[in-house]
Amino acid sequence: MHFTFSICPSLILITGTIKAAFAHVAQPSPEDRICTETTVAILGGGMAGITAAQALTNASIHDFVILEYRNGIGGRVWNTDFGEDENGKPHVIEFGANWLHGVGNGRTENPLVTLARKHKLKNTLDDTSFVLTYDETGHNDYQEVLAVFKDVKNAAYRDAGQMLIDNVQDGNARTGFAMAGWNPRRNDMKAQAVEWWNWDCESAASPDASSFIFGVAAENLTYNQFGEDNHMVVDPRGYKTIIEGEASTFLHKEVQDRRLWLNTQVSDIRYSKNSVKVINKDGTCVSAAYAICTFSLGVLQNDAVQFHPPLPKWKQTAIQKFSMGTYTKIFLQFNETFWPTDANHFLYASPTTRGYYPIFQSLSTEGFLPESNILFATVVDEQAYRVERQSDEETKQEILAVLRQMFPEKDVPEPTAFLYPRWNSEPWAYGSYSNWPVGTTLEMHQNLRANVDRLWFAGEATSASYFGFLHGAWFEGREAGEQIVALLKGRCLTTYGKVTCGERAHYDILHGTTPSDAYSAINGWPLDSTV
C-alpha cells in the first residue's frame, strides 16, 4: 500500500471561524448553494473511509473529500486518557476497538497485523484460555462448565459448517448450541456466565438474537484464515495510530489537508443517477460524482442523516433488519492491585441477572499496563444500555458491590479514577458494532451493502465475512474505493473471483434462503465444514 499525493485546487475548506459566521446568516436553499466540487465524497474518517481514500489514491485519483464529524480521524477506534501513572502522567485506554483479532499462523495475515507491524503499534497476546471463576460467595471453581461448553462449541461450529454446505435454513445460536448438547437451565447462573463469556462477549448480543450460521462463519473465517490468537493494543499513541499513519501517506502532514474536513456534520444527502450532493449542518456542501457513505449502522438506523429521495424500501428494510450491538468497557483505577496477578480475566456469575458485570480484565500486569492498578469490566446489550442510562456513581457502586462479593477477604477501596463511554449517546456512532440477527439471509445483507445510484456504502456492517471486526471495515473501505475507481475508469472489477461491472446487486424481492454457491461467489467463503 504505497501512495502519491496531490491537492485538487478546486477544493476549498471553509475554516472554523468562517463556518461559525456563515451558520448565523440566512442560508440559501439546498438547490441554490454553491458547493465545493469533487469527484468522490467520502463520508466518515474511520477505518473504512481512510482505506477507501487509499484505494482512490493508489489509482491516482486524488480529487476526493473526506467529511468527518469529529475533530480527528479514527471513528469508533477511540482512545482517551485515564487515571495516572507513578509520574502523574495519564494512561491511554481504548473505548472502542482494542484487539487485533486473528493473529498467528493462519492461511494469510490479517491486514491489521501487517499495519500494526508497519507502524510499530504496541500490542500483546491476550490469552483468554484461562479465566478465574467467581460468584456471589467469592472464588468458585466452575472450570468444568467452561470445559463442557468448549467441547459443545466445537461440535456446534462443525454443525454450522455442514449446515452451510447443505444450504440448511438458519436458526439462532441458542438452537445451534442446544442441538450440540448445550441446554442449561435459565437459572443456572454459572452456565449462563460461561455462555456469555463464549458468545455475548464477542457478538455484543445473546445467542437468542444472533444468527447461528453467520455468527459462526464470521468468527471462524477470521480465526481459521488469519490465526487463533487475539492481541490487545496497549500503545500510548492509541490504536488509531495505524489509521492516522496510513492517512499521513496521502494527506498533508505539515498543514491541514484541504481534502479532510473535520468537525463536519453531514445532515442531508441528495443522490441521483448522475451525482451526489452532501449538505452539512454548518451550511457548507459538497457536490460529487460519487459518494461513499461509511456511517455506522447505528447512524443509519437512527435517521441522523436525511436522504433525498428517501432510500428505497429494500434499502431501508436492510438497514433496520440488522442489529447494532453495544460493547461497553468500564474502567477503574485503584491505589493498589488487590486482585490475583496470576490471571488477567475474572468471570463473575451473578446470582440473579445474566450478563451483570460478568467479566473483569486486569491491565496491571506485565505486557499490558504494568503496575497501573487498572481493571475494567465489560457489559453488552441490555446491560450496556442500562449503565448508559444511569449515573457514573450508580454504576461505580454496583461494580464495587460485585468486586466485594468476588473478593470478600479484601478491603476493596473506592477507585481513584472511573470512566466509561456511552456509545448510544454518541451521534456519530449510536452503538459499537453490528451483529447478524437470526433469520437474515445473505440476500438481505447484499441489500445493506448495495449502492443506490451514485451513493455507495462501506463499513464493518457491510462485510458479510467480517462484520463486527475492524478488519471488516478495512476490507470494505478498500473494496468500495476500488469499485469507484473501476466506474471512473470504465472497467470491470474482479473480487473473490467474481467480475462486477458497475452497480452492486440488490434484491427487490427476498427469498427464504440463499443458494450456497452465493457465499463463495460473493464473499470468497470456503465451502467446507471448517467454516
Side-chain angles (χ1 to χ4, degrees):
M1 293 156 45
H2 302 282
F3 308 94
T4 57
F5 172 74
S6 175
I7 295 179
C8 173
S10 66
L11 301 181
I12 302 173
L13 173 61
I14 302 176
T15 63
T17 301
I18 299 176
K19 282 184 179 181
F22 187 56
H24 290 85
V25 300
Q27 301 294 315
S29 67
E31 293 78 12
D32 297 333
R33 291 174 185 170
I34 299 175
C35 300
T36 296
E37 295 185 0
T38 189
T39 301
V40 184
I42 300 172
L43 313 183
M47 177 64 82
I50 296 304
T51 54
Q54 282 182 332
L56 295 172
T57 305
N58 284 345
S60 298
I61 296 173
H62 309 293
D63 185 14
F64 57 81
V65 174
I66 303 171
L67 290 81
E68 167 55 38
Y69 187 107
R70 304 178 71 206
N71 63 359
I73 64 174
R76 285 170 279 160
V77 185
W78 179 20
N79 62 272
T80 190
D81 292 342
F82 176 71
E84 59 182 39
D85 62 18
E86 66 277 7
N87 298 314
K89 296 182 179 180
H91 293 283
V92 173
I93 57 171
E94 302 287 346
F95 273 168
N98 210 153
W99 288 269
L100 297 167
H101 296 282
V103 183
N105 298 317
R107 301 177 184 179
T108 187
E109 185 170 80
N110 186 327
L112 299 193
V113 174
T114 306
L115 292 180
R117 184 169 55 252
K118 174 182 176 181
H119 296 289
K120 296 179 173 56
L121 188 74
K122 184 180 179 181
N123 61 90
T124 188
L125 174 66
D126 190 6
D127 185 4
T128 59
S129 63
F130 177 63
V131 54
L132 292 176
T133 55
Y134 298 80
D135 63 12
E136 74 278 9
T137 67
H139 177 62
N140 188 330
D141 187 352
Y142 43 95
Q143 295 290 333
E144 73 283 354
V145 185
L146 285 161
V148 168
F149 189 89
K150 180 179 180 181
D151 291 340
V152 169
K153 184 177 180 180
N154 289 337
Y157 279 28
R158 288 192 295 271
D159 291 345
Q162 192 60 51
M163 291 170 67
L164 183 62
I165 294 171
D166 296 340
N167 197 28
V168 175
Q169 186 172 356
D170 189 23
N172 65 17
R174 169 75 57 221
T175 303
F177 289 137
M179 295 305 295
W182 176 264
N183 196 17
R185 298 186 309 277
R186 294 286 180 162
N187 63 354
D188 183 348
M189 303 311 291
K190 295 179 180 61
Q192 294 298 327
V194 166
E195 182 181 89
W196 186 99
W197 172 234
N198 282 273
W199 184 270
D200 303 45
C201 191
E202 185 73 45
S203 301
S206 70
D208 306 81
S210 303
S211 163
F212 181 46
I213 290 178
F214 289 96
V216 170
E219 183 175 337
N220 276 358
L221 278 167
T222 287
Y223 293 109
N224 288 345
Q225 181 183 14
F226 298 133
E228 297 181 354
D229 294 332
N230 290 316
H231 280 211
M232 189 175 197
V233 174
V234 289
D235 197 294
R237 299 169 296 169
Y239 199 164
K240 67 180 180 182
T241 293
I242 62 174
I243 301 177
E244 294 173 335
E246 291 303 290
S248 71
T249 62
F250 60 87
L251 294 176
H252 250 314
K253 303 182 184 72
E254 293 79 14
V255 296
Q256 177 70 53
D257 193 311
R258 289 182 290 179
R259 295 176 300 172
L260 176 61
W261 293 29
L262 300 176
N263 300 306
T264 302
Q265 181 179 351
V266 174
S267 58
D268 294 85
I269 299 173
R270 298 174 178 268
Y271 65 92
S272 70
K273 293 185 180 297
N274 301 312
S275 63
V276 180
K277 180 182 286 187
V278 181
I279 302 168
N280 305 315
K281 190 175 181 180
D282 61 9
T284 59
C285 57
V286 174
S287 180
Y290 292 90
I292 303 174
C293 178
T294 71
F295 298 151
S296 77
L297 178 64
V299 168
L300 296 175
Q301 289 179 336
N302 280 274
D303 298 324
V305 176
Q306 300 303 308
F307 294 89
H308 307 278
L311 294 173
K313 185 176 180 179
W314 59 263
K315 188 71 174 183
Q316 293 186 46
T317 302
I319 289 170
Q320 297 301 333
K321 174 64 175 175
F322 284 82
S323 59
M324 187 69 174
T326 299
Y327 186 103
T328 303
K329 289 174 283 185
I330 306 170
F331 294 87
L332 305 93
Q333 184 180 39
F334 295 90
N335 55 14
E336 63 174 332
T337 298
F338 57 81
W339 51 90
T341 56
D342 57 343
N344 285 338
H345 301 89
F346 312 100
L347 183 64
Y348 169 72
S350 165
T352 59
T353 306
R354 186 181 187 278
Y356 186 82
Y357 304 115
I359 194 72
F360 292 83
Q361 180 167 352
S362 173
L363 295 181
S364 188
T365 51
E366 194 62 37
F368 294 86
L369 301 177
E371 300 181 2
S372 65
N373 303 324
I374 294 177
L375 188 70
F376 71 90
T378 300
V379 289
V380 302
D381 202 26
E382 291 300 324
Q383 288 300 313
Y385 307 147
R386 187 184 66 82
V387 301
E388 285 197 14
R389 293 190 297 267
Q390 65 189 21
S391 68
D392 282 16
E393 184 63 24
E394 289 174 304
T395 301
K396 182 175 69 174
Q397 293 307 320
E398 287 179 349
I399 291 179
L400 289 175
V402 168
L403 290 173
R404 287 161 183 160
Q405 288 182 352
M406 293 171 64
F407 307 109
E409 73 285 358
K410 300 290 185 178
D411 182 15
V412 177
E414 288 278 325
T416 57
F418 182 83
L419 189 65
Y420 64 95
R422 286 172 167 79
W423 280 106
N424 288 280
S425 299
E426 295 294 344
W428 49 271
Y430 288 124
S432 301
Y433 52 81
S434 66
N435 184 51
W436 197 299
V438 61
T440 306
T441 67
L442 186 61
E443 286 183 345
M444 181 70 79
H445 187 267
Q446 288 300 294
N447 282 359
L448 177 66
R449 191 171 186 262
N451 63 292
V452 184
D453 293 336
R454 293 289 185 97
L455 178 62
W456 289 64
F457 294 83
E460 54 82 13
T462 67
S463 173
S465 303
Y466 311 110
F467 63 90
F469 289 102
L470 184 59
H471 51 271
W474 187 92
F475 279 110
E476 286 296 289
R478 183 187 66 168
E479 202 271 345
E482 290 174 347
Q483 288 275 10
I484 299 299
V485 168
L487 288 166
L488 290 170
K489 297 192 174 184
R491 66 179 188 229
C492 298
L493 182 68
T494 301
T495 305
Y496 300 124
K498 182 180 177 66
V499 178
T500 57
C501 302
E503 299 183 347
R504 290 172 174 168
H506 78 269
Y507 301 86
D508 291 303
I509 299 175
L510 296 167
H511 304 87
T513 60
T514 304
S516 59
D517 59 358
Y519 294 91
S520 178
I522 297 176
N523 295 286
W525 291 5
L527 291 178
D528 60 54
S529 59
T530 62
V531 174

